[in-house]
Amino acid sequence: MSFTAAIIGRPNVGKSTLFNRLTGRRLALVDDRPGVTRDRREADARIAGLEFKLIDTAGLEDVNDDSMEARMRHQTELAVESADVVMFMIDARAGITPLDEHFAQWLRETGKPVVVVANKSEGSAGESGYLEAFGLGLGTPVQISAEHGQGMGELYDALSDHAEIIIPNEDDEDGVEHEDGVLHLAIIGRPNAGKSTLINTLIGEERLLAGPEAGLTRDSISVEWEYDGKRIKLFDTAGMRRKARVIDKLERMSVADGLRAVKFAQIVVLLVDATSPLDRQDRVLANLVAREGRALVVALNKWDLVENKKDVLKEVEDMLDLDMPEIRGVQLVQFSALTGRGLDKLMPAVMKAYEAWDSRISTARLNRWLDASTQAHPPPAPAGRRLKLRYMTQVKARPPTFVCFCSRPDEVPESYIRYMQNGLRDTFDMWGTPIRIRLKKSDNPFADKD
């Protein structure tokens, strides 16, 4: 990556719209109301042959207290500090405001190279605002429309001094990331479970906006990290409430973004507030992870605030066994994300779940197990005819998926399939991961004989 650019500006000037256009994907949530973005988000961006890392930030507010807005501003300041060039965005239709002038002065004091971007310049309505932007003293502004894609050539010219030109590869697949060896780990849970605090503690910096307010995170943010030599991409997601309680359009978008993060993850940590453990929504989220075929680790956060720890732990374990038979044996860890106490247990549990999810069993071992299992507990005999399970093979991992050839697959009861799944877990140590068994009718060798 040749350089890093940060998009900053006051709320609702179109920063996330430009971020999505330059990255070529709808990574950031976009809505007409101000203050949608709260955390800073990073992604690879491109304009023609110009490639760079792009940072989207929250809208700038002139506050310096302990409020949420002040913490959001601190995240933006960190983005500016790490950037090689800053794109300072204004709303050309609204013109230059006192807040724009205030932050223009702040940018001059940082000494960072600045490109003033006059957004919403389509038509004649933005002409006066564009001309006013010259008065900021930050060089010649660039007129663009992030929504309609206008002015990208001029923006290319303004940014090209900060990077080497890279010829695009026509064979690249649009929107597909090739990250060999990177483990994708999503953190999900109800609002205020401590997801952002957990990631901040893991990576050792205030990378994500965190606080006592519920619903701080609005879109899924990815953070790169390394654990024990393994590259990890952590996904922080918005808190997910029951569907019936989600009536706001922006919250629906946030939840949908979090669900997409689960689909693209490999391992999912379901973070639960230990002071109110495992309500119905937690069970819904766990079953969602199982349906998507992802490995699961259940983490009880705020464990230091729980008084009757043994009773709570027993209650949670019983609930997991009862309500989630499809991912039986899911690993359960307890810690405090705020203090870090007990957090050293989380990543070993994650790596163990990943090994089970990625495991492969040779056909010879699998069929020896199948023979022993059917002898110990023979398949049922519907209408007096014994079902025969003849052969089994693993067709893929992630999650472990098996095909079993049998005489009458439609008559094998669900209970016997669960028996086989639990037997595979117990024999081959594949706890906490979905196991899929597909039944297929075996060919009759005498079908074509007279």
Side-chain angles (χ1 to χ4, degrees):
M1 215 47 53
S2 51
F3 72 101
T4 299
I7 310 173
I8 75 164
R10 57 187 176 82
N12 210 33
V13 295
K15 298 182 296 297
S16 293
T17 303
L18 178 61
F19 180 84
N20 286 344
R21 178 165 293 280
L22 295 183
T23 58
R25 290 172 290 167
R26 293 185 178 181
L27 295 175
L29 297 185
V30 176
D31 194 68
D32 291 336
R33 77 190 77 179
V36 172
T37 303
R38 288 176 172 174
D39 287 291
R40 68 186 194 268
R41 177 193 284 275
E42 300 178 4
D44 297 342
R46 170 185 283 178
I47 309 178
L50 186 68
E51 292 190 350
F52 53 98
K53 178 175 285 187
L54 188 61
I55 308 175
D56 186 24
T57 63
L60 282 165
E61 301 278 6
D62 187 17
V63 285
N64 289 288
D65 51 20
D66 294 327
S67 65
M68 179 179 67
E69 289 77 10
R71 300 199 301 274
M72 289 161 61
R73 174 177 173 174
H74 177 63
Q75 291 292 321
T76 301
E77 291 171 348
L78 292 174
V80 170
E81 184 178 331
S82 64
D84 300 305
V85 59
V86 177
M87 286 188 276
F88 180 39
M89 182 175 283
I90 66 161
D91 184 340
R93 296 193 174 192
I96 300 300
T97 67
L99 198 59
D100 291 324
E101 294 175 344
H102 172 78
F103 287 113
Q105 176 60 34
W106 168 64
L107 284 173
R108 282 194 292 271
E109 293 172 357
T110 65
K112 293 280 184 177
V114 178
V115 175
V116 178
V117 179
N119 191 28
K120 307 181 186 179
S121 291
E122 63 273 20
S124 59
E127 190 65 27
S128 61
Y130 167 70
L131 296 174
E132 289 177 13
F134 282 89
L136 294 174
L138 293 171
T140 303
V142 178
Q143 284 183 294
I144 73 162
S145 170
E147 183 175 0
H148 301 287
Q150 299 176 7
M152 294 300 106
E154 289 76 9
L155 186 59
Y156 172 95
D157 293 336
L159 293 174
S160 60
D161 292 338
H162 305 279
E164 59 191 52
I165 304 302
I166 300 172
I167 304 300
N169 185 351
E170 299 296 337
D171 295 329
D172 285 349
E173 299 179 50
D174 292 337
V176 177
E177 292 185 340
H178 301 280
E179 296 180 296
D180 293 336
V182 180
L183 190 152
H184 288 216
L185 173 61
I187 314 293
I188 68 170
R190 286 177 283 150
N192 211 30
K195 298 178 291 295
S196 298
T197 302
L198 170 60
I199 293 180
N200 286 340
T201 305
L202 284 174
I203 66 177
E205 63 173 283
E206 294 297 313
R207 173 62 181 82
L208 299 169
L209 187 67
E213 304 93 341
L216 280 180
T217 302
R218 280 182 166 164
D219 47 0
S220 56
I221 304 296
S222 64
V223 179
E224 294 186 0
W225 180 52
E226 188 170 302
Y227 168 77
D228 197 24
K230 178 76 173 177
R231 292 173 59 203
I232 311 284
K233 182 169 277 191
L234 297 165
F235 288 87
D236 184 25
T237 63
M240 301 180 191
R241 298 193 297 166
R242 295 182 187 177
K243 187 175 181 180
R245 296 182 180 178
V246 180
I247 58 176
D248 180 73
K249 172 189 172 186
L250 183 57
E251 186 174 359
R252 287 200 305 270
M253 293 165 61
S254 299
V255 171
D257 204 37
L259 296 178
R260 280 194 296 272
V262 171
K263 291 181 180 180
F264 286 101
Q266 296 166 321
I267 311 297
V268 177
V269 171
L270 174 59
L271 196 63
V272 178
D273 185 341
T275 60
S276 56
L278 282 185
D279 74 352
R280 179 175 175 271
Q281 179 64 3
D282 292 317
R283 298 195 288 272
V284 168
L285 292 175
N287 286 317
L288 166 71
V289 174
R291 287 198 307 272
E292 291 296 334
R294 305 297 179 252
L296 178 67
V297 173
V298 175
L300 296 177
N301 188 25
K302 308 179 185 179
W303 192 244
D304 53 327
L305 304 180
V306 177
E307 295 181 0
N308 52 336
K309 290 181 169 56
K310 289 185 178 179
D311 293 341
V312 170
L313 191 59
K314 182 67 166 58
E315 177 187 349
V316 173
E317 289 174 342
D318 291 344
M319 204 172 295
L320 288 174
D321 287 340
L322 179 65
D323 294 341
M324 291 184 290
E326 65 273 22
I327 44 176
R328 187 178 174 188
V330 62
Q331 294 195 77
L332 184 65
V333 293
Q334 311 91 44
F335 54 77
S336 168
L338 187 61
T339 65
R341 186 172 183 179
L343 197 54
D344 57 328
K345 302 174 184 176
L346 176 61
M347 288 310 297
V350 166
M351 299 310 295
K352 185 175 181 181
Y354 177 78
E355 290 175 5
W357 183 72
D358 193 36
S359 61
R360 285 189 175 274
I361 306 168
S362 69
T363 301
R365 294 178 64 203
L366 200 55
N367 282 282
R368 284 197 296 270
W369 167 83
L370 180 64
D371 289 341
S373 297
T374 53
Q375 288 179 20
H377 186 79
R385 297 170 59 202
R386 178 72 63 186
L387 294 169
K388 296 179 181 179
L389 306 183
R390 295 190 171 93
Y391 180 77
M392 196 170 188
T393 186
Q394 183 173 1
V395 292
K396 76 179 196 71
R398 303 185 171 194
T401 303
F402 306 88
V403 171
C404 183
F405 295 89
C406 57
S407 55
R408 303 190 304 281
D410 294 339
E411 298 181 27
V412 179
E414 194 67 30
S415 59
Y416 198 81
I417 295 176
R418 285 198 297 270
Y419 161 73
M420 295 172 67
Q421 290 171 333
N422 290 331
L424 288 168
R425 288 192 178 97
D426 189 34
T427 304
F428 300 107
D429 195 19
M430 293 192 294
W431 301 100
T433 191
I435 294 178
R436 293 173 176 170
I437 298 178
R438 299 170 183 168
L439 300 175
K440 188 175 181 180
K441 184 175 177 60
S442 56
D443 294 332
N444 184 349
F446 303 102
D448 297 329
K449 293 186 180 294
D450 294 333

